[in-house]
Amino acid sequence: MLAGAVVLAIFVIPYLIMFFGSVKSKSEIRSVNPTYFPTAWRWENYLTMWSTPETPLVQNLVSTIIIAVFATLLVLLVALPAAYYTARAHFPGRMVFMFLVIVTQMLQPAVLTSGLFRQFSFFGISDTWLAMILINAAFNLSFAVWIMHSFFAGVPKEIDEAAQIDGAGRLAVLFRINLPLVWPGIVTAIVFTFVACWNEFAASLVIMSTAGNQPLAVALTKFVGQYETSWHYVFGVSVVAIIPVVVLFMLIEKRLIGGLTAGSVK
């Protein structure tokens, strides 16, 4: 328990310092003799940061939510049938295909930003939510396919065959029989994809030029100036950006445990 408390403190203390910094005044943060706890709690920082001239934070938050949610849904829409098919069908070149899928994970958006910008400019969708949804979905698709592929491969084929004998079609076997068994893998793919899309920075910095369309990861840099940095707003926006991810874990925790139980029983 003592070792666990030490590990917990190592991870929690930086977030506490960030929270305490978000409720300090600018002068107190820049004080020569800084303190961990604020002398005067400036809760109004969480209100004033939404109307600062640096960036429209409300629009940035909406943009981040839309991009992360729809990119995650697009990944699930494509990765789910792809993982099921690659786990069940032994087609020629199957291993080569899976190898090429995992190789794409080695590519990062920062390396391809210039090419992506020219491509989206050619199609006229640069500086749009659609562009970032496609980019985030593409760069997280391979991981989701591999994760769910391993879970589908662990389900005995006899279960599918028994369901087909009872008259179930391919879609019914996938959604009614296999999904409850591989739910932990789906949850893992959802969490990984959503967090990666939520925190994506490099491609957004290049593709999204309009301040209102930029996600929070890019909007956060607007408070860091050449001669002055509004650290109280940087900390405040960071705290707000963490909340949706924490809520996602809270909502998904019970489903993750339920999926593990369902898989073990069946």
Side-chain angles (χ1 to χ4, degrees), residues 36-265:
Y36 285 105
F37 301 99
T39 56
W41 296 73
R42 304 280 183 172
W43 296 104
E44 62 271 17
N45 290 344
Y46 283 95
L47 297 177
T48 57
M49 71 180 188
W50 299 102
S51 58
T52 55
E54 285 84 358
T55 182
L57 272 182
V58 176
Q59 299 179 34
N60 298 140
L61 179 59
V62 173
S63 178
T64 308
I65 293 174
I66 291 176
I67 292 173
V69 169
F70 281 93
T72 303
L73 292 176
L74 181 58
V75 167
L76 287 179
L77 180 65
V78 177
L80 195 61
Y84 177 72
Y85 184 78
T86 55
R88 287 290 186 263
H90 295 278
F91 53 90
R94 174 172 170 267
M95 295 307 300
V96 176
F97 172 77
M98 295 302 297
F99 174 75
L100 293 176
V101 168
I102 199 62
V103 164
T104 60
Q105 189 69 22
M106 301 170 60
L107 303 175
Q108 295 298 320
V111 181
L112 305 175
T113 48
S114 59
L116 291 172
F117 179 78
R118 294 185 60 182
Q119 183 177 3
F120 288 128
S121 297
F122 175 79
F123 288 107
I125 59 174
S126 180
D127 192 25
T128 62
W129 290 338
L130 176 61
M132 291 311 306
I133 290 173
L134 294 176
I135 290 175
N136 283 288
F139 282 99
N140 291 283
L141 182 60
S142 59
F143 178 84
V145 171
W146 264 96
I147 285 293
M148 289 190 285
H149 168 85
S150 62
F151 276 83
F152 278 120
V155 178
K157 294 182 179 180
E158 289 78 9
I159 294 180
D160 292 16
E161 296 170 354
Q164 290 174 349
I165 292 175
D166 290 338
R170 285 285 185 179
L171 292 178
V173 171
L174 172 60
F175 290 101
R176 298 181 60 184
I177 306 300
N178 282 269
L179 286 193
L181 301 177
V182 301
W183 187 246
I186 297 175
V187 170
T188 303
I190 291 174
V191 171
F192 177 87
T193 303
F194 183 84
V195 173
C197 296
W198 187 270
N199 295 327
E200 201 286 319
F201 174 78
S204 301
L205 183 64
V206 176
I207 301 298
M208 309 294 276
S209 56
T210 304
N213 292 339
Q214 294 173 339
L216 285 176
V218 178
L220 191 63
T221 62
K222 301 297 181 64
F223 297 104
V224 181
Q226 183 176 1
Y227 302 104
E228 187 178 13
T229 300
S230 302
W231 288 112
H232 54 308
Y233 290 148
V234 172
F235 293 143
V237 176
S238 300
V239 171
V240 171
I242 292 173
I243 293 176
V245 179
V246 175
V247 171
L248 173 65
F249 276 95
M250 293 175 62
L251 294 176
I252 255 173
E253 181 184 5
K254 292 183 179 180
R255 294 185 176 273
L256 175 60
I257 297 174
L260 289 171
T261 305
S264 62
V265 171

